[in-house]
Amino acid sequence: MHLDDEAADAPVIHSNDRGSFARGVLAERHPALLRKVRDAFPYGPEQHRALDALAERITHGVIEPLPADAHDAAQWRIWGRDHFGASWFAAPFLWAESYFYRQLLEAVDYFRPGPWQGIDPFRPFKEAELHTDEADAELAALDRLAPLLAEDQAQALLLGSLWGNRADLGFRMAGDEGEGGDGAGEATADARLVADDSALLWSLLAPGAPATLCLVADNAGRELLPDLVLIDHLLRHGHAGRVVLHVKPYPYYVSDALPTDVIDCLRRLRRARGAAAEVGARLWAAMGDGRLGIRAHAFSCAPLPYADMPDDLPSEFAEATVTVFKGDLNYRRLVGDRLWPPTSPFADRTAYFPGPVAALRTLKSDVVVGLDAPTEAALVAEHGQKWRTGGTHALIQAATRGGEGKG
């Protein structure tokens, strides 16, 4: 089937089907999130009214443009020209989710001069993630990796970064942790890894080559910690000579990482004990000498797939040895937020990308590609469709330039 034909047969995901995962996010998770944000800060009456009005609009109202004096009002008028005046549930799910978070920032005056300008409404939740018993245990476990061979450490840290994606505040703040929540770790990892191209990924990051890795981060807190630990291993053992960590320029979705979150995580590592503290010290030095860089491109917060990225980003990604996309939202933007057949090849869905690309993702939405037919059939037989959205299954997918590769 021609790629255009397959896209035509894969509908864009909307939220207007009752009982669908996307509908539940807009109708239930977002209102619950607004209540949490409302209580997290001593906001004044103006912010309270704005948050309450947003909760009403997203469930019973229509999509309205940003105020004319918003700094990005013109851009959103372009992005939303087909959606303003319609129900939130009628807009594409990816667009509606993104615009909800932009409207949340408007409600708390994030961009406006005043006492709340630049105050991350999700910061209390992200900070709390770094100081839990679970985070302590995960950092202490690094000491037990020391006796392993470097390649065994690398694979263990790759899986740690992958499964760290379960630490998604968007699920937990809404009281929805999926089938297994964090307890999904009780099952065997192999049974829950629905696609595994880790061998291809490691072949792109062979030790000793002067590789440049772009890592497009997802969540802060307990997900970003294992991402940073993996980055340290790659730099320390010559899998990469330089890593560019792409994060969000401003708050976007609940737990998405910002530059400040990277610094918070580095400080958390440096204040730990044993191997974790050593990791923190090495990464701090790596930032100082340029081996670890941070990029916060505005497109990271756009309601668009990466197939529509602006002209400067493809040239950056083309210079990387491989670009790794972490997490569910980045996956949706990488392959397109459509109901693709799960057996649609990952390499085909990413053929537009200007260089080798990989995805590390736990499944928390309906989109998935790159599975073989027996795997899909077994998952459906055992779980129905819940395996797509519960965060209990994961994938590692990779493709070389030009759409070649597995999946």
Side-chain angles (χ1 to χ4, degrees):
M1 180 181 290
H2 189 274
L3 293 185
D4 291 341
D5 294 336
E6 188 168 35
D9 291 337
V12 173
I13 296 175
H14 290 70
S15 306
N16 45 11
D17 291 336
R18 294 189 180 277
S20 68
F21 174 81
R23 177 95 179 191
V25 170
L26 263 64
E28 300 169 15
R29 188 181 300 175
H30 286 176
L33 170 61
L34 288 172
R35 291 191 293 271
K36 295 280 189 179
V37 169
R38 196 181 191 279
D39 295 337
F41 288 95
Y43 288 126
E46 183 177 346
Q47 288 78 31
H48 285 165
R49 285 192 296 268
L51 289 167
D52 294 343
L54 178 58
E56 177 66 20
R57 285 201 308 275
I58 62 175
T59 51
H60 303 295
V62 298
I63 301 170
E64 299 176 1
L66 290 169
D69 62 346
H71 76 280
D72 52 352
Q75 179 63 77
W76 277 102
R77 278 198 298 272
I78 295 171
W79 287 338
R81 60 183 176 270
D82 296 329
H83 311 308
F84 294 132
S87 165
W88 283 79
F89 300 105
F93 181 41
L94 175 63
W95 189 95
E97 270 199 295
S98 297
Y99 193 53
F100 163 76
Y101 283 100
R102 176 59 187 89
Q103 285 281 20
L104 191 159
L105 295 184
E106 193 66 24
V108 299
D109 292 334
Y110 180 85
F111 292 111
R112 295 188 176 276
W116 298 109
Q117 186 177 30
I119 302 297
D120 181 355
F122 312 127
R123 187 169 175 79
F125 317 114
K126 292 190 284 191
E127 283 187 316
E129 277 278 296
L130 295 177
H131 302 286
T132 60
D133 291 341
E134 292 84 357
D136 291 341
E138 288 160 3
L139 293 180
L142 295 179
D143 293 329
R144 299 196 295 273
L145 290 181
L148 300 181
L149 296 173
E151 57 265 33
D152 294 331
Q153 292 182 34
Q155 185 66 13
L157 294 175
L158 179 68
L159 293 174
S161 177
L162 169 68
W163 288 110
N165 185 231
R166 285 181 318 203
D168 186 333
L169 291 170
F171 270 58
R172 297 214 293 274
M173 288 175 63
D176 176 12
E177 295 187 35
E179 288 181 3
D182 282 351
E186 299 299 322
T188 61
D190 287 346
R192 294 179 291 117
L193 196 56
V194 299
D196 183 7
D197 293 349
S198 56
L200 177 56
L201 177 57
W202 286 123
S203 73
L204 296 169
L205 294 170
T212 295
L213 167 67
C214 284
L215 178 62
V216 183
D218 189 37
N219 298 321
R222 281 177 57 210
E223 176 177 354
L224 189 54
L225 284 173
D227 291 347
L228 289 169
V229 172
L230 175 62
I231 288 171
D232 170 68
H233 184 91
L234 298 177
L235 290 172
R236 185 184 180 197
H237 292 276
H239 292 278
R242 184 168 184 264
V243 176
V244 180
L245 183 63
H246 285 247
V247 295
K248 305 299 189 296
Y250 53 81
Y252 187 64
Y253 288 54
V254 182
S255 48
D256 283 22
L258 311 179
T260 52
D261 298 314
V262 177
I263 303 308
D264 286 344
C265 284
L266 290 178
R267 286 178 174 148
R268 176 68 180 87
L269 287 165
R270 293 178 80 196
R271 292 169 182 165
R273 298 177 179 176
E278 296 171 4
V279 169
R282 287 193 295 265
L283 289 174
W284 197 275
M287 288 197 70
D289 62 28
R291 288 177 297 129
L292 173 58
I294 298 178
R295 184 81 161 97
H297 196 286
F299 187 74
S300 296
C301 297
L304 303 173
Y306 270 90
D308 295 335
M309 60 185 141
D311 292 341
D312 58 326
L313 271 179
S315 61
E316 288 188 33
F317 291 138
E319 294 175 357
T321 306
V322 61
T323 299
V324 176
F325 285 82
K326 279 294 309 289
D328 196 79
L329 172 61
N330 286 330
Y331 188 87
R332 291 162 58 193
R333 296 184 68 196
L334 177 65
V335 304
D337 203 35
R338 293 174 174 267
L339 290 175
W340 301 107
T343 54
S344 179
F346 176 76
D348 288 355
R349 300 278 61 81
T350 58
Y352 70 89
F353 203 77
V357 63
L360 303 181
R361 175 221 185 188
T362 57
L363 279 60
K364 302 176 195 167
S365 67
D366 290 308
V367 180
V368 65
V369 300
L371 305 191
D372 60 48
T375 297
E376 181 200 1
L379 288 166
V380 172
E382 184 174 357
H383 304 285
Q385 296 299 327
K386 291 183 178 180
W387 60 274
R388 292 173 176 255
T389 60
T392 56
H393 293 77
L395 54 80
I396 301 172
Q397 292 175 325
T400 56
R401 187 170 184 174
E404 300 173 353
K406 290 187 65 178

